[in-house]
Amino acid sequence: MMSESPESLLTLLASAVLLASAGSVHCIGMCGGISSALTFSIPESRRQGKSLWGWQLLFGIGRVTTYMVLGSLAGMLGNALLHWLPGPSMAIGLSLSGVLMLLLSGYLLGQGVWLKKLEGIGAGLWRRLQPLTRRLLPVDRPLKALALGGLWGLLPCGLIYTALALAVTAGSALSGALVMLVFGVVTVIPVAITGVIASRLQHFRNGIWPKVAASLTFLLALVFFWQAWSMSQMPHHGHHGAVDKGAVDKNTHTHHHQPET
Protein backbone atom coordinates (compact mmCIF):
# COMPACT_ATOMS: atom_id res chain seq x y z
CA MET A 1 0.00 0.00 0.00
CA MET A 2 1.49 3.31 -1.05
CA SER A 3 1.08 6.58 0.79
CA GLU A 4 -2.47 7.89 0.38
CA SER A 5 -1.42 10.85 -1.82
CA PRO A 6 1.63 12.88 -2.85
CA GLU A 7 0.56 15.41 -0.22
CA SER A 8 0.69 12.67 2.42
CA LEU A 9 4.22 11.74 1.40
CA LEU A 10 5.26 15.40 1.54
CA THR A 11 3.80 15.54 5.06
CA LEU A 12 5.94 12.55 6.04
CA LEU A 13 9.07 14.08 4.52
CA ALA A 14 8.43 17.37 6.31
CA SER A 15 7.94 15.42 9.54
CA ALA A 16 11.26 13.65 8.94
CA VAL A 17 12.98 17.03 8.53
CA LEU A 18 11.39 18.33 11.74
CA LEU A 19 12.32 15.17 13.62
CA ALA A 20 15.94 15.31 12.49
CA SER A 21 16.17 19.04 13.21
CA ALA A 22 14.70 18.69 16.68
CA GLY A 23 16.95 15.71 17.37
CA SER A 24 20.14 17.31 16.05
CA VAL A 25 21.15 18.45 19.52
CA HIS A 26 20.73 14.86 20.67
CA CYS A 27 22.77 13.67 17.67
CA ILE A 28 25.58 16.08 18.50
CA GLY A 29 25.74 14.90 22.08
CA MET A 30 25.44 11.17 21.43
CA CYS A 31 26.85 10.54 17.95
CA GLY A 32 29.35 13.36 18.00
CA GLY A 33 31.66 11.30 20.19
CA ILE A 34 31.56 8.48 17.66
CA SER A 35 32.22 10.94 14.86
CA SER A 36 35.26 12.33 16.64
CA ALA A 37 36.53 8.82 17.42
CA LEU A 38 36.28 7.92 13.74
CA THR A 39 38.14 11.10 12.93
CA PHE A 40 41.08 10.02 15.05
CA SER A 41 41.01 6.57 13.42
CA ILE A 42 42.10 8.22 10.17
CA PRO A 43 45.89 8.42 9.76
CA GLU A 44 46.99 11.92 10.72
CA SER A 45 48.55 12.55 7.33
CA ARG A 46 45.18 11.94 5.65
CA ARG A 47 42.99 14.11 7.86
CA GLN A 48 44.59 17.47 7.37
CA GLY A 49 42.65 20.51 6.20
CA LYS A 50 39.68 20.05 3.89
CA SER A 51 40.27 16.32 3.46
CA LEU A 52 38.81 15.75 6.93
CA TRP A 53 35.44 16.97 5.68
CA GLY A 54 35.63 14.44 2.86
CA TRP A 55 36.11 11.60 5.33
CA GLN A 56 33.19 12.85 7.42
CA LEU A 57 31.04 12.92 4.29
CA LEU A 58 31.95 9.29 3.57
CA PHE A 59 31.00 8.29 7.12
CA GLY A 60 27.71 10.14 6.67
CA ILE A 61 26.95 8.51 3.31
CA GLY A 62 27.51 5.07 4.81
CA ARG A 63 25.26 5.86 7.78
CA VAL A 64 22.46 7.30 5.65
CA THR A 65 22.64 4.31 3.30
CA THR A 66 21.95 2.03 6.26
CA TYR A 67 19.06 4.27 7.29
CA MET A 68 17.61 3.95 3.79
CA VAL A 69 17.84 0.15 3.87
CA LEU A 70 16.12 0.10 7.27
CA GLY A 71 13.52 2.57 5.97
CA SER A 72 12.85 0.36 2.98
CA LEU A 73 12.26 -2.64 5.25
CA ALA A 74 10.04 -0.53 7.51
CA GLY A 75 8.04 0.66 4.51
CA MET A 76 7.49 -2.92 3.36
CA LEU A 77 6.36 -3.82 6.88
CA GLY A 78 3.92 -0.92 6.74
CA ASN A 79 2.67 -2.14 3.37
CA ALA A 80 1.88 -5.49 4.98
CA LEU A 81 0.35 -4.19 8.21
CA LEU A 82 -1.19 -0.73 7.87
CA HIS A 83 -4.09 -1.79 5.64
CA TRP A 84 -5.35 -3.98 8.47
CA LEU A 85 -5.72 -0.96 10.75
CA PRO A 86 -9.00 0.96 11.00
CA GLY A 87 -9.12 4.51 9.67
CA PRO A 88 -6.50 6.39 7.63
CA SER A 89 -3.22 4.50 7.94
CA MET A 90 -1.11 7.67 7.96
CA ALA A 91 -3.13 9.12 10.83
CA ILE A 92 -2.43 5.99 12.87
CA GLY A 93 1.25 6.05 11.91
CA LEU A 94 1.63 9.72 12.78
CA SER A 95 -0.07 9.09 16.12
CA LEU A 96 2.44 6.32 16.79
CA SER A 97 5.27 8.69 15.89
CA GLY A 98 3.80 11.27 18.28
CA VAL A 99 3.80 8.73 21.10
CA LEU A 100 7.40 7.81 20.33
CA MET A 101 8.33 11.51 20.31
CA LEU A 102 6.85 11.90 23.79
CA LEU A 103 8.91 8.92 24.93
CA LEU A 104 11.96 10.41 23.22
CA SER A 105 11.42 13.70 25.05
CA GLY A 106 11.56 11.87 28.37
CA TYR A 107 14.50 9.82 27.13
CA LEU A 108 16.51 12.98 26.48
CA LEU A 109 15.94 13.96 30.10
CA GLY A 110 17.00 10.53 31.36
CA GLN A 111 13.46 9.27 31.93
CA GLY A 112 12.83 7.24 28.78
CA VAL A 113 12.44 3.73 30.20
CA TRP A 114 10.59 2.26 27.23
CA LEU A 115 12.95 3.61 24.59
CA LYS A 116 15.89 2.38 26.63
CA LYS A 117 14.34 -1.09 26.59
CA LEU A 118 13.92 -0.80 22.83
CA GLU A 119 17.54 0.26 22.51
CA GLY A 120 18.48 -2.75 24.61
CA ILE A 121 17.07 -5.01 21.90
CA GLY A 122 19.16 -3.20 19.29
CA ALA A 123 22.20 -3.40 21.56
CA GLY A 124 22.16 -7.19 21.27
CA LEU A 125 22.56 -6.94 17.50
CA TRP A 126 25.23 -4.27 17.86
CA ARG A 127 27.33 -6.48 20.14
CA ARG A 128 27.47 -9.05 17.36
CA LEU A 129 28.45 -6.46 14.75
CA GLN A 130 30.93 -4.46 16.82
CA PRO A 131 33.91 -6.80 16.17
CA LEU A 132 33.58 -5.93 12.48
CA THR A 133 34.48 -2.32 13.22
CA ARG A 134 37.94 -3.31 14.47
CA ARG A 135 38.72 -4.98 11.17
CA LEU A 136 38.10 -1.70 9.37
CA LEU A 137 40.67 0.26 11.41
CA PRO A 138 42.65 2.29 10.64
CA VAL A 139 40.44 4.14 8.17
CA ASP A 140 42.93 4.54 5.35
CA ARG A 141 40.64 3.88 2.38
CA PRO A 142 37.30 5.40 1.33
CA LEU A 143 35.59 1.99 1.29
CA LYS A 144 36.52 1.48 4.94
CA ALA A 145 34.96 4.84 5.78
CA LEU A 146 31.75 3.91 3.96
CA ALA A 147 31.62 0.51 5.69
CA LEU A 148 32.19 2.00 9.13
CA GLY A 149 29.50 4.59 8.45
CA GLY A 150 27.16 1.79 7.42
CA LEU A 151 27.78 -0.09 10.67
CA TRP A 152 27.37 3.15 12.61
CA GLY A 153 23.83 3.40 11.23
CA LEU A 154 22.94 0.20 13.15
CA LEU A 155 23.76 1.66 16.55
CA PRO A 156 20.70 1.45 18.86
CA CYS A 157 19.12 4.91 19.06
CA GLY A 158 15.66 6.01 20.14
CA LEU A 159 15.68 8.88 17.65
CA ILE A 160 16.25 6.50 14.74
CA TYR A 161 13.50 4.19 15.95
CA THR A 162 11.13 7.17 15.98
CA ALA A 163 12.11 8.01 12.41
CA LEU A 164 11.51 4.38 11.40
CA ALA A 165 7.96 4.70 12.73
CA LEU A 166 7.47 7.41 10.10
CA ALA A 167 8.94 5.08 7.48
CA VAL A 168 6.43 2.39 8.44
CA THR A 169 3.68 4.95 7.90
CA ALA A 170 4.97 5.58 4.36
CA GLY A 171 3.58 2.18 3.42
CA SER A 172 6.06 1.24 0.67
CA ALA A 173 9.73 0.34 0.38
CA LEU A 174 10.55 3.34 -1.83
CA SER A 175 8.70 5.88 0.30
CA GLY A 176 10.16 4.45 3.51
CA ALA A 177 13.68 4.71 2.09
CA LEU A 178 12.98 8.30 1.02
CA VAL A 179 11.77 9.25 4.50
CA MET A 180 14.96 7.87 6.07
CA LEU A 181 17.10 9.53 3.38
CA VAL A 182 15.66 12.93 4.27
CA PHE A 183 16.03 12.22 7.99
CA GLY A 184 19.63 11.08 7.62
CA VAL A 185 20.76 13.91 5.35
CA VAL A 186 19.58 16.53 7.88
CA THR A 187 21.71 14.90 10.59
CA VAL A 188 24.88 14.58 8.47
CA ILE A 189 26.09 18.17 8.78
CA PRO A 190 25.77 18.63 12.58
CA VAL A 191 27.34 15.23 13.26
CA ALA A 192 30.18 15.91 10.80
CA ILE A 193 30.87 19.26 12.45
CA THR A 194 31.22 17.55 15.82
CA GLY A 195 33.75 15.19 14.29
CA VAL A 196 35.86 18.21 13.42
CA ILE A 197 35.41 20.20 16.64
CA ALA A 198 35.28 17.31 19.08
CA SER A 199 36.62 19.31 21.99
CA ARG A 200 33.30 21.19 22.38
CA LEU A 201 31.01 18.18 22.58
CA GLN A 202 30.70 18.28 26.36
CA HIS A 203 28.62 21.46 26.10
CA PHE A 204 25.91 19.52 24.28
CA ARG A 205 25.82 16.66 26.78
CA ASN A 206 25.33 18.83 29.84
CA GLY A 207 23.70 22.09 30.85
CA ILE A 208 20.65 23.41 29.05
CA TRP A 209 21.06 21.55 25.74
CA PRO A 210 19.34 18.26 26.74
CA LYS A 211 16.38 20.33 27.98
CA VAL A 212 16.29 22.24 24.70
CA ALA A 213 16.25 18.99 22.72
CA ALA A 214 13.56 17.52 24.99
CA SER A 215 11.38 20.63 24.59
CA LEU A 216 11.73 20.54 20.80
CA THR A 217 10.80 16.86 20.62
CA PHE A 218 7.80 17.45 22.90
CA LEU A 219 6.56 20.22 20.59
CA LEU A 220 7.14 17.97 17.60
CA ALA A 221 5.04 15.26 19.26
CA LEU A 222 2.19 17.77 19.45
CA VAL A 223 2.70 18.56 15.75
CA PHE A 224 2.46 14.85 14.90
CA PHE A 225 -0.74 14.48 16.92
CA TRP A 226 -2.20 17.52 15.15
CA GLN A 227 -1.22 16.08 11.75
CA ALA A 228 -2.80 12.74 12.68
CA TRP A 229 -6.02 14.46 13.77
CA SER A 230 -6.13 16.57 10.59
CA MET A 231 -5.58 13.51 8.42
CA SER A 232 -8.29 11.56 10.23
CA GLN A 233 -10.75 14.30 9.27
CA MET A 234 -9.95 14.01 5.56
CA PRO A 235 -12.48 12.11 3.41
CA HIS A 236 -11.29 8.86 1.84
CA HIS A 237 -11.65 9.68 -1.79
CA GLY A 238 -10.99 6.10 -2.85
CA HIS A 239 -13.82 4.74 -0.73
CA HIS A 240 -16.20 7.53 -1.73
CA GLY A 241 -15.29 6.93 -5.33
CA ALA A 242 -16.21 3.26 -4.99
CA VAL A 243 -19.55 4.14 -3.42
CA ASP A 244 -20.32 6.69 -6.12
CA LYS A 245 -19.44 4.21 -8.84
CA GLY A 246 -21.71 1.64 -7.24
CA ALA A 247 -24.52 4.17 -7.07
CA VAL A 248 -24.04 5.06 -10.72
CA ASP A 249 -24.06 1.38 -11.72
CA LYS A 250 -27.21 0.84 -9.71
CA ASN A 251 -28.96 3.81 -11.27
CA THR A 252 -27.91 2.69 -14.72
CA HIS A 253 -29.18 -0.81 -14.04
CA THR A 254 -32.53 0.57 -12.83
CA HIS A 255 -32.82 2.83 -15.85
CA HIS A 256 -32.19 -0.03 -18.28
CA HIS A 257 -34.81 -2.21 -16.65
CA GLN A 258 -37.47 0.47 -16.20
CA PRO A 259 -40.75 -0.76 -17.74
CA GLU A 260 -42.01 1.11 -20.76
CA THR A 261 -45.14 3.20 -20.36
Side-chain angles (χ1 to χ4, degrees), residues 231-245:
M231 197 153 292
S232 69
Q233 305 304 307
M234 294 173 60
H236 300 285
H237 300 291
H239 294 300
H240 288 306
V243 172
D244 292 341
K245 183 178 184 299

Side-chain angles (χ1 to χ4, degrees), residues 18-256:
L18 290 173
L19 175 60
S21 300
S24 289
V25 174
H26 172 69
C27 288
I28 292 173
M30 300 303 295
C31 290
I34 299 171
S35 181
S36 59
L38 291 177
T39 294
F40 290 113
S41 70
I42 303 167
E44 186 174 359
S45 61
R46 300 195 178 190
R47 54 180 163 90
Q48 300 299 320
K50 295 181 180 179
S51 64
L52 180 54
W53 292 100
W55 289 107
Q56 291 294 335
L57 180 61
L58 290 172
F59 292 139
I61 291 174
R63 180 166 58 87
V64 173
T65 299
T66 295
Y67 291 169
M68 291 178 66
V69 172
L70 294 175
S72 178
L73 295 174
M76 286 191 289
L77 176 64
N79 185 39
L81 296 179
L82 288 179
H83 70 281
W84 293 104
L85 298 175
S89 59
M90 280 199 62
I92 295 173
L94 287 169
S95 297
L96 174 61
S97 297
V99 171
L100 287 174
M101 287 302 294
L102 289 178
L103 295 176
L104 181 61
S105 180
Y107 170 84
L108 294 173
L109 296 175
Q111 305 297 323
V113 176
W114 291 105
L115 277 184
K116 287 180 179 178
K117 289 183 178 180
L118 190 58
E119 284 189 349
I121 298 174
L125 173 63
W126 176 248
R127 280 192 293 269
R128 294 178 178 272
L129 295 174
Q130 195 171 15
L132 295 176
T133 62
R134 302 189 187 98
R135 300 179 184 179
L136 296 171
L137 300 177
V139 184
D140 51 6
R141 294 199 303 271
L143 284 178
K144 285 186 175 183
L146 288 171
L148 273 173
L151 289 173
W152 180 6
L154 294 173
L155 272 172
C157 174
L159 183 64
I160 296 172
Y161 299 153
T162 308
L164 286 173
L166 286 178
V168 169
T169 304
S172 74
L174 180 60
S175 297
L178 188 57
V179 167
M180 293 305 292
L181 170 64
V182 171
F183 168 81
V185 166
V186 175
T187 66
V188 165
I189 293 178
V191 173
I193 291 174
T194 59
V196 177
I197 53 172
S199 61
R200 300 180 178 236
L201 289 179
Q202 196 63 29
H203 296 292
F204 293 96
R205 295 196 186 105
N206 300 316
I208 195 174
W209 292 108
K211 295 179 181 178
V212 170
S215 298
L216 289 174
T217 52
F218 178 79
L219 292 175
L220 187 54
L222 298 182
V223 171
F224 283 166
F225 287 133
W226 177 80
Q227 288 177 333
W229 179 84
S230 299
M231 197 153 292
S232 69
Q233 305 304 307
M234 294 173 60
H236 300 285
H237 300 291
H239 294 300
H240 288 306
V243 172
D244 292 341
K245 183 178 184 299
V248 171
D249 291 343
K250 182 178 180 181
N251 291 336
T252 303
H253 180 77
T254 303
H255 175 73
H256 280 233

